[in-house]
Amino acid sequence: MGKVIVIGDKYTVNLFKLIGTEGIILEDPLELENTLLKIRKREDVDLVLVTNDTYTPVKEKVDNLILEQKKPLITVIPSPFSEAKPVDVKGLILKSLGFG
């Protein structure tokens, strides 16, 4: 079974480390692209979780890298410092069915 790596602020990374997840603290979001490229070469990693506040400033730079990546799977998660927005589940379902 592969590892999970969390990339983001020290608070979120340290919380995930408490449950045994490997973590990388990034003070500068501009380092995200290089960090993802390094992790991509590792065979032992299956999932990379990137905090939203680390991802958002460099979204345009890393979107293609995230979308083309099959393994490890890279996904964005909220952090305590992220602005929370409600999810319109009904709208998402309608859109996926072609009605939205």
Side-chain angles (χ1 to χ4, degrees):
M1 189 162 167
K3 292 183 179 181
V4 176
I5 296 180
V6 178
I7 302 172
D9 60 272
K10 68 179 181 179
Y11 181 78
T12 305
V13 170
N14 287 331
L15 283 174
F16 274 89
K17 281 185 177 182
L18 289 173
I19 59 169
T21 303
E22 189 176 329
I24 300 171
I25 298 170
L26 287 185
E27 300 292 334
D28 183 7
L30 296 175
E31 298 174 19
L32 181 60
E33 184 176 18
N34 289 335
T35 303
L36 291 174
L37 289 171
K38 288 177 189 173
I39 292 172
R40 187 175 165 168
K41 296 175 185 173
R42 291 180 52 179
E43 295 287 326
D44 63 333
V45 179
D46 282 340
L47 178 63
V48 178
L49 304 173
V50 180
T51 58
N52 190 37
D53 52 321
T54 302
Y55 163 77
T56 302
V58 291
K59 179 181 179 181
E60 291 80 25
K61 267 182 111 173
V62 297
D63 265 350
N64 285 336
L65 178 65
I66 291 173
L67 291 174
E68 72 184 26
Q69 189 67 27
K70 293 192 186 336
K71 185 180 179 210
L73 175 65
I74 302 169
T75 190
V76 179
I77 61 169
S79 75
F81 310 109
S82 301
E83 186 177 311
K85 296 178 185 173
V87 176
D88 179 17
V89 177
K90 181 179 177 183
L92 290 173
I93 293 171
L94 289 174
K95 188 174 181 179
S96 69
L97 295 173
F99 297 109

